[in-house]
Amino acid sequence: METFQFPPNYNLKKVCEKITFGDGWVVLKNMFSARDVEMARERILTKKINNDLNNSFNKQDDKHNNYDGLTWGLLSRGKIFTKMASHPVIMEVSGTLLGSQCRLSSLAANAVQPGMGSQSPHLDYPYYRHLWPERDGCMDLPPNHLLALQIVTLLTDFYPENGSTAILPGSQINPRHPEKREEFFKKAIQLTASAGDVIMFAGPIQHCAMANKTKETRCAILQHMVPLYVTPFEDLTSGKESEEQMIRQLLALDNPHPILKYKHKNSRRNSQISYANLTST
């Protein structure tokens, strides 16, 4: 049975309030033990994970995903990543903000090597502007109607010198893509936290990874959670089956897309319709 640590003075209502109507982010201290952190970090930093995916992101807002430190597909790389993704606090906050049947959209490792530069400021508000209507204000949803929640599990300490995440506080309330880099960097703050802590922030907040000016690698797990009805960013379910209820929920294995499926025979007149899982929504 998995054992979990819980942050001191954890209050679900206050956490959700900070993420939605507050500054848009929160640090939850001591969520994972030193042993958990070392186990995950060792799998990433010793190159046991091969980044064998072809990252081809071409549009303007996709380019931050060309960031050299990103590695995808962690669920198949070790049980420690499953444990981190399914921490009860992560599931509780995600379920409160995104719906009780929210799902995992992606799970990636980010290792920022010494000398690596900063990302472009961006939003994690699924997913890029070319997927939204081409009009200003199309993302103007209430702050508590989130379409994405970002969870950053720290495997090393985060501080400004090693390129900790920069965030523009409150920018999730009226979401806009950061068109002016200079304005973002002038107003943004860099977060400080320790290995084993978890940073949560609203998907529509403006943010980016900063340059690592130290001689040590900065490393974290990036977890992207979305409502059940949002298509995941990563193909996480291909060939996967699990009896564990938490994993089935994370991957929405009991709620496949599309829910209504047509099984065609010789003609349309003889078509059969499968209503499997139709009542699950």
Side-chain angles (χ1 to χ4, degrees):
M1 183 177 179
E2 299 284 10
T3 56
F4 294 97
Q5 295 183 176
F6 292 85
N9 304 315
Y10 167 66
N11 183 296
L12 174 63
K13 184 177 180 180
K14 289 183 179 179
V15 167
C16 293
E17 182 71 19
K18 288 179 180 179
I19 292 172
T20 52
F21 291 98
D23 284 343
W25 61 276
V26 65
V27 176
L28 300 174
K29 305 293 290 183
N30 301 316
M31 287 269 282
F32 292 99
S33 68
R35 181 176 180 274
D36 287 338
V37 168
E38 181 57 30
M39 194 179 302
R41 184 169 56 208
E42 185 265 345
R43 281 160 172 75
I44 296 167
L45 298 185
T46 58
K47 306 300 181 184
K48 287 191 175 182
I49 295 178
N50 295 316
N51 195 0
D52 53 4
L53 296 182
N54 178 21
N55 292 338
S56 55
F57 302 90
N58 299 314
K59 293 185 179 295
Q60 178 183 350
D61 297 318
D62 304 9
K63 291 180 180 178
H64 68 269
N65 279 321
N66 277 326
Y67 203 60
D68 293 336
L70 287 174
T71 302
W72 308 89
L74 295 188
L75 284 183
S76 61
R77 316 287 186 162
K79 291 184 178 180
I80 184 60
F81 300 114
T82 300
K83 177 181 180 179
M84 288 182 161
S86 60
H87 192 291
V89 170
I90 291 176
M91 297 304 296
E92 184 176 46
V93 175
S94 299
T96 301
L97 294 176
L98 304 172
S100 60
Q101 296 188 76
C102 61
R103 66 190 301 168
L104 183 65
S105 173
S106 71
L107 192 69
N110 190 19
V112 183
Q113 304 294 336
M116 192 176 285
S118 63
Q119 278 181 315
S120 297
H122 60 278
L123 312 182
D124 290 335
Y125 203 42
Y127 292 104
Y128 307 115
R129 76 183 76 193
H130 66 269
L131 301 178
W132 289 77
E134 295 183 6
R135 58 179 175 80
D136 187 50
C138 64
M139 296 187 296
D140 288 348
L141 299 174
N144 59 349
H145 188 143
L146 285 181
L147 294 181
L149 176 68
Q150 191 73 22
I151 299 105
V152 183
T153 299
L154 276 58
L155 303 183
T156 60
D157 293 346
F158 269 39
Y159 50 94
E161 289 77 15
N162 73 353
S164 62
T165 305
I167 280 181
L168 186 60
S171 57
Q172 83 285 355
I173 294 176
N174 294 298
R176 293 294 184 275
H177 289 277
E179 305 286 1
K180 299 179 180 179
R181 288 173 56 93
E182 297 77 10
E183 184 175 337
F184 169 85
F185 289 120
K186 182 179 179 180
K187 297 180 179 179
I189 62 170
Q190 281 188 260
L191 306 184
T192 300
S194 303
D197 295 348
V198 168
I199 299 171
M200 293 186 180
F201 55 86
I205 202 168
Q206 295 183 18
H207 68 282
C208 71
M210 298 293 284
N212 185 354
K213 300 177 182 178
T214 72
K215 296 181 180 180
E216 302 292 333
T217 298
R218 177 174 61 79
C219 189
I221 304 300
L222 308 182
Q223 180 174 349
H224 196 68
M225 298 292 291
V226 296
L228 176 63
Y229 51 82
V230 174
T231 301
F233 186 74
E234 270 190 88
D235 180 10
L236 297 164
T237 61
S238 180
K240 286 190 174 65
E241 271 299 330
S242 176
E243 298 300 323
E244 297 181 45
Q245 184 55 41
M246 189 60 67
I247 299 303
R248 297 193 68 82
Q249 178 181 339
L250 272 173
L251 301 182
L253 293 178
D254 297 319
N255 296 279
H257 286 300
I259 289 176
L260 183 61
K261 293 181 171 64
Y262 294 87
K263 295 182 178 179
H264 293 280
K265 285 191 173 180
N266 294 331
S267 68
R268 291 185 180 179
R269 181 172 297 179
N270 293 324
S271 294
Q272 293 182 338
I273 302 176
S274 171
Y275 292 94
N277 300 311
L278 188 59
T279 59
S280 63
T281 59

